[in-house]
Amino acid sequence: QAQLVESGGGSVQAGGSLRLSCAVSQYRDRDRCIGWFRQAPGKEREAVASISAAGEATYYANFVKGRFTISRDNANAWRYLQMNSLKVEDSGMYYCAVYRDGTYCAELRRPRDMDEWGQGTQVTVSP
């Protein structure tokens, strides 16, 4: 059984919105910092946002601040990424992942900090 499953990707025009969801099936993962990442073709995977296990602290990459919001549900089984004012350059595969070192993110977590990944969901933004 996949431990992290992303959904909600799709195609949208620039300026539109999408909401990505990450189902966190393992209880141990729900007690850890979780992040969203993205990767465009030919580019390295990059951090988008991170959220602490309790949801009290969030961190964002500069290029999404004011446009994207990371959150969790009350049951702690889902992590979300609300994406507004989408740009063409936001296109790519989006992944959620679990921070290997615990509950608190402390900062925006990078791909090398994570040890469990979902399969990704594709986001395509057209002009």
Side-chain angles (χ1 to χ4, degrees):
Q1 179 183 0
Q3 297 172 348
L4 300 171
V5 180
E6 302 93 336
S7 61
S11 297
V12 65
Q13 286 191 319
S17 298
L18 284 173
R19 187 196 197 203
L20 305 184
S21 300
C22 173
V24 186
S25 62
Q26 297 293 325
Y27 283 104
R28 67 172 187 271
D29 294 338
R30 298 174 185 179
D31 290 333
R32 294 201 277 170
C33 161
I34 288 179
W36 281 98
F37 301 81
R38 70 186 188 188
Q39 188 168 20
K43 294 188 176 181
E44 291 188 356
R45 192 168 297 187
E46 59 184 358
V48 174
S50 302
I51 186 168
S52 61
E56 81 283 5
T58 57
Y59 306 87
Y60 296 93
N62 287 334
F63 53 77
V64 302
K65 281 182 180 177
R67 300 189 298 124
F68 291 11
T69 303
I70 189 171
S71 63
R72 46 157 279 183
D73 68 316
N74 289 335
N76 201 25
W78 294 86
R79 303 295 183 271
Y80 303 106
L81 186 69
Q82 177 66 43
M83 306 188 296
N84 299 329
S85 302
L86 281 162
K87 304 176 181 180
V88 172
E89 52 264 41
D90 292 320
S91 297
M93 188 70 77
Y94 281 71
Y95 302 88
C96 59
V98 180
Y99 177 42
R100 70 167 60 93
D101 286 340
T103 300
Y104 301 103
C105 305
E107 61 184 22
L108 179 66
R109 287 296 152 193
R110 298 157 294 183
R112 66 187 186 212
D113 299 328
M114 320 306 273
D115 64 359
E116 294 176 22
W117 293 83
Q119 83 291 345
T121 186
Q122 179 68 40
V123 171
T124 303
V125 185
S126 58

